Every structure is written in C-alpha cells, then in structure tokens.
Amino acid sequence: GENVEQHPSTLSVQEGDSAVIKCTYSDSASNYFPWYKQELGKRPQLIIDIRSNVGEKKDQRIAVTLNKTAKHFSLHITETQPEDSAVYFCAASGGGGADGLTFGKGTHLIIQP
Amino acid sequence: DARVTQTPRHKVTEMGQEVTMRCQPILGHNTVFWYRQTMMQGLELLAYFRNRAPLDDSGMPKDRFSAEMPDATLATLKIQPSEPRDSAVYFCASRPGASYEQYFGPGTRLTVT
C-alpha cells in the first residue's frame, strides 16, 4: 500500500517569512495529492491540491509543487500570518484505483509574531 | 455552504458497549469515507463507499467494526463491543463523483473508558 512521509513535524517561522513542508510517497501510481489544514479541535480543511499531470499549482499565498520522478511534493506558504498557525497534513491517493487518502503524520506550523 | 454533518459530536461510553456514529454526506456526493484520527497513528482510512456500495474496508478491524450506507443520505459506523483503544476522533468525508476533493465532517470524538 501507499506510504506518505512528511517533514518536518514542527516548523516555527517568523511572521512574514515563508514556510515549506515536504512529503514523499511510495506508490508511483498515486495521482492526487491534497493538503489539509487542521486547527485544534476542528475538521481537516482542504487548502490546495494537485494532480499528477501538473507540476505546480498556486492559490494566492499558497503553492504546491510535485516531482513525480522523485515522488515528492511540497507546500509553500509565503508571507505567513498568525492565522496560518495550525497542523498541516499532506496526503496521496489514486494508486491502483483506490480513492481513500493516505496521510502524512502532520506538521505543526507555528507563526511567531 | 453545504457541509458534511456527523452525530454525535462527542460520545463517552464504557468498554463493551455498542457505539453508532452517523454521517450525512453533502447532497449529491456519491463517495463517502470514514477516517480515524489518533495522536499515535494520525489520520487513517477505515472504509469507503461509492453509490452506497462498500469498496474498501481493509483499514477496519473486522471483528468489531461495521460500516453501512442504508441510503444515499446516511452512512453509519458501528463498534461492538467498544474497547479503550477505539478512543479517537472519527471523521466522515464525502466527495462528488466527478471530483477528487474530499470534504470532511466535524468528527465524532469517542472516549471509551
């Protein structure tokens, strides 16, 4: 089955700086890679996703890049703000036609004022 | 703004008792997922349905867990008998047929004493 590794587990950055979270996956057949943001006690919320036929996708301050050859993808947040503080999860799906998401262990992003 | 709903939001029960969690997917979404979140294991896929048919329940302990979709507006996850190690947040998510995006419900926080 799919295995998703996520790094770092904790990331502290100064407000206004950029944050980068990295994930690797094991199943080369996976074709969908979403990122979720989860605040304490809340549901995971989809913030951006990318399909395997695209190398990069951007939405305002958030971008995701995908390297299919190396089987890794990254989340980039620019001009970080206090409300970006949360746990971020990467995930992968689609290998073997499976629709369920395999998640990384999460990154606790802390924005220092 | 349509959302996935789950009931109950919190459940405290004693070991050995039956627990039933319910999920109402977003109207028109034909694929429904059950995930479990714990500190140790993170977010894990338990089972999922498409058009009410079970497609994958390999993540679910078969001896005590069961998942069903009695109709298109209701998915249930049942644990019988419950054990302390089942304590977790159980999330339901739904997805429209033509999309990869999964939308999560608020979760049921289960505590088994």
Side-chain angles (χ1 to χ4, degrees):
Chain A
E2 176 67 276
N3 183 50
V4 177
E5 300 279 344
Q6 182 172 348
H7 300 280
S9 57
T10 304
L11 178 61
S12 181
V13 301
Q14 291 293 123
E15 182 179 350
D17 287 351
S18 295
V20 180
I21 302 170
K22 299 183 179 183
C23 289
T24 60
Y25 61 99
S26 61
D27 188 348
S28 56
S30 289
N31 60 7
Y32 176 63
F33 307 92
W35 286 88
Y36 285 84
K37 175 184 180 182
Q38 187 177 31
E39 296 174 347
L40 190 62
K42 300 289 183 63
R43 73 186 79 195
Q45 286 195 297
L46 179 67
I47 56 171
I48 196 167
D49 57 8
I50 194 166
R51 300 271 303 275
S52 59
N53 58 349
V54 176
E56 184 174 356
K57 184 176 177 181
K58 190 172 181 180
D59 182 5
Q60 299 183 343
R61 298 185 297 109
I62 295 173
V64 58
T65 58
L66 171 65
N67 183 327
K68 283 193 301 179
T69 303
K71 290 190 283 188
H72 67 69
F73 56 114
S74 301
L75 177 71
H76 304 253
I77 305 174
T78 59
E79 300 172 11
T80 53
Q81 300 168 3
E83 54 265 36
D84 294 330
S85 293
V87 179
Y88 291 80
F89 293 93
C90 62
S93 75
D99 296 313
L101 295 171
T102 300
F103 284 88
K105 293 297 187 188
T107 296
H108 185 193
L109 177 61
I110 302 165
I111 308 301
Q112 303 278 5
Chain B
D1 185 22
R3 288 195 166 197
V4 176
T5 58
Q6 290 185 247
T7 57
R9 296 292 308 277
H10 302 273
K11 176 73 176 179
V12 180
T13 191
E14 291 183 348
M15 182 173 61
Q17 296 298 305
E18 178 178 298
V19 175
T20 298
M21 291 168 270
R22 294 176 175 81
C23 166
Q24 182 172 13
I26 295 171
L27 190 65
H29 285 198
N30 70 339
T31 308
V32 178
F33 304 83
W34 284 104
Y35 294 92
R36 175 170 64 182
Q37 185 173 34
T38 62
M39 288 297 294
M40 293 301 295
Q41 299 299 325
L43 276 159
E44 305 173 283
L45 176 69
L46 295 176
Y48 77 97
F49 297 77
R50 182 177 299 127
N51 297 322
R52 297 175 56 198
L55 289 191
D56 184 3
D57 62 0
S58 59
M60 215 162 59
K62 301 291 192 305
D63 56 339
R64 298 183 300 108
F65 284 58
S66 62
E68 296 180 344
M69 276 202 77
D71 61 62
T73 64
L74 176 65
T76 63
L77 180 66
K78 190 173 296 187
I79 308 174
Q80 168 63 22
S82 57
E83 297 180 1
R85 59 180 168 150
D86 301 329
S87 297
V89 180
Y90 291 81
F91 287 104
C92 172
S94 71
R95 192 190 80 179
S99 170
Y100 283 74
E101 299 169 2
Q102 295 185 25
Y103 297 92
F104 280 69
T108 294
R109 182 174 296 276
L110 174 65
T111 303
V112 183
T113 60

